[in-house]
Coordinates of all heavy atoms in Angstrom, one line a residue:
N1323 N 17.3 16.0 -24.0 CA 18.1 16.9 -23.1 C 17.3 17.5 -22.0 O 17.8 18.4 -21.3 CB 18.8 18.1 -24.0 CG 19.6 17.6 -25.2 OD1 20.4 16.7 -24.9 ND2 19.4 18.1 -26.3
Y1324 N 16.1 17.0 -21.8 CA 15.1 17.7 -21.0 C 14.6 16.8 -20.0 O 13.6 17.2 -19.3 CB 14.0 18.2 -21.9 CG 13.3 19.5 -21.4 CD1 14.0 20.6 -21.1 CD2 11.9 19.4 -21.5 CE1 13.2 21.7 -20.6 CE2 11.1 20.6 -21.0 CZ 11.8 21.7 -20.6 OH 11.1 22.8 -20.1
D1325 N 15.2 15.7 -19.8 CA 14.5 14.7 -18.8 C 13.1 14.4 -19.3 O 12.2 14.3 -18.4 CB 14.6 15.1 -17.4 CG 16.1 15.1 -16.9 OD1 16.8 14.3 -17.3 OD2 16.3 16.0 -16.1
T1326 N 12.8 14.3 -20.6 CA 11.5 14.2 -21.0 C 10.8 12.8 -20.6 O 11.4 11.8 -20.6 CB 11.5 14.2 -22.6 OG1 12.1 15.4 -23.0 CG2 10.1 14.1 -23.1
F1327 N 9.5 12.9 -20.2 CA 8.8 11.7 -19.8 C 7.4 11.7 -20.5 O 6.7 10.8 -20.4 CB 8.6 11.6 -18.3 CG 7.9 12.7 -17.6 CD1 6.5 12.5 -17.4 CD2 8.5 13.8 -17.1 CE1 5.8 13.5 -16.7 CE2 7.8 14.8 -16.6 CZ 6.4 14.6 -16.3
L1328 N 7.0 12.9 -21.2 CA 5.7 12.9 -21.8 C 5.8 13.8 -23.0 O 6.2 15.0 -22.9 CB 4.6 13.4 -20.8 CG 3.3 13.8 -21.4 CD1 2.6 12.5 -22.0 CD2 2.4 14.3 -20.3
V1329 N 5.4 13.3 -24.2 CA 5.4 14.0 -25.4 C 3.9 14.0 -26.0 O 3.4 12.9 -26.2 CB 6.4 13.5 -26.5 CG1 6.2 14.2 -27.8 CG2 7.8 13.6 -25.9
L1330 N 3.4 15.2 -26.2 CA 2.0 15.3 -26.8 C 2.1 15.9 -28.2 O 2.8 16.9 -28.5 CB 1.2 16.2 -25.9 CG 1.0 15.9 -24.4 CD1 0.2 16.8 -23.7 CD2 0.4 14.5 -24.3
G1331 N 1.3 15.3 -29.1 CA 1.3 15.8 -30.5 C 0.2 16.9 -30.7 O -0.8 17.0 -29.9
A1332 N 0.4 17.8 -31.6 CA -0.5 18.9 -31.8 C -1.9 18.4 -32.2 O -2.1 17.7 -33.3 CB 0.0 19.8 -33.0
Q1333 N -2.9 18.7 -31.4 CA -4.3 18.3 -31.8 C -5.2 19.4 -31.5 O -6.5 19.1 -31.3 CB -4.6 17.1 -30.9 CG -3.8 15.9 -31.0 CD -4.0 15.2 -32.3 OE1 -5.1 15.3 -32.9 NE2 -3.0 14.5 -32.9
N1334 N -4.8 20.6 -31.6 CA -5.6 21.8 -31.3 C -6.0 21.8 -29.8 O -5.4 22.5 -29.0 CB -6.9 21.9 -32.2 CG -7.6 23.2 -32.0 OD1 -7.0 24.2 -31.7 ND2 -8.9 23.2 -32.3
T1335 N -7.1 21.0 -29.5 CA -7.4 20.8 -28.1 C -6.6 19.5 -27.7 O -7.0 18.4 -28.3 CB -8.8 20.7 -27.8 OG1 -9.4 21.9 -28.1 CG2 -9.0 20.5 -26.3
E1336 N -5.6 19.6 -26.9 CA -4.6 18.5 -26.7 C -4.6 18.0 -25.3 O -4.5 18.9 -24.4 CB -3.3 19.0 -27.2 CG -2.1 18.1 -27.0 CD -0.9 18.8 -27.5 OE1 -0.6 18.9 -28.7 OE2 -0.2 19.4 -26.6
S1337 N -4.5 16.8 -25.0 CA -4.3 16.2 -23.7 C -3.7 14.9 -23.7 O -3.6 14.2 -24.7 CB -5.7 16.1 -23.0 OG -6.6 15.2 -23.7
G1338 N -3.1 14.5 -22.5 CA -2.5 13.2 -22.4 C -1.8 13.0 -21.1 O -1.7 14.0 -20.3
F1339 N -1.2 11.8 -20.8 CA -0.5 11.5 -19.6 C 0.6 10.6 -19.9 O 0.5 9.8 -20.9 CB -1.4 11.1 -18.5 CG -2.2 9.9 -18.8 CD1 -1.7 8.6 -18.5 CD2 -3.4 10.0 -19.4 CE1 -2.4 7.4 -18.8 CE2 -4.2 8.7 -19.7 CZ -3.6 7.5 -19.4
N1340 N 1.6 10.6 -19.1 CA 2.8 9.7 -19.3 C 2.4 8.3 -18.9 O 1.7 8.0 -17.9 CB 4.0 10.2 -18.5 CG 3.8 10.2 -17.0 OD1 2.9 11.0 -16.6 ND2 4.5 9.5 -16.2
T1341 N 3.1 7.3 -19.5 CA 2.9 5.9 -19.1 C 4.0 5.1 -19.8 O 4.6 5.5 -20.8 CB 1.5 5.4 -19.5 OG1 1.4 4.0 -19.1 CG2 1.3 5.5 -21.0

Side-chain angles (χ1 to χ4, degrees):
N1323 300 314
Y1324 205 53
D1325 293 324
T1326 302
F1327 65 91
L1328 173 60
V1329 176
L1330 302 177
Q1333 298 290 332
N1334 190 25
T1335 300
E1336 174 185 280
S1337 64
F1339 59 90
N1340 62 298
T1341 182

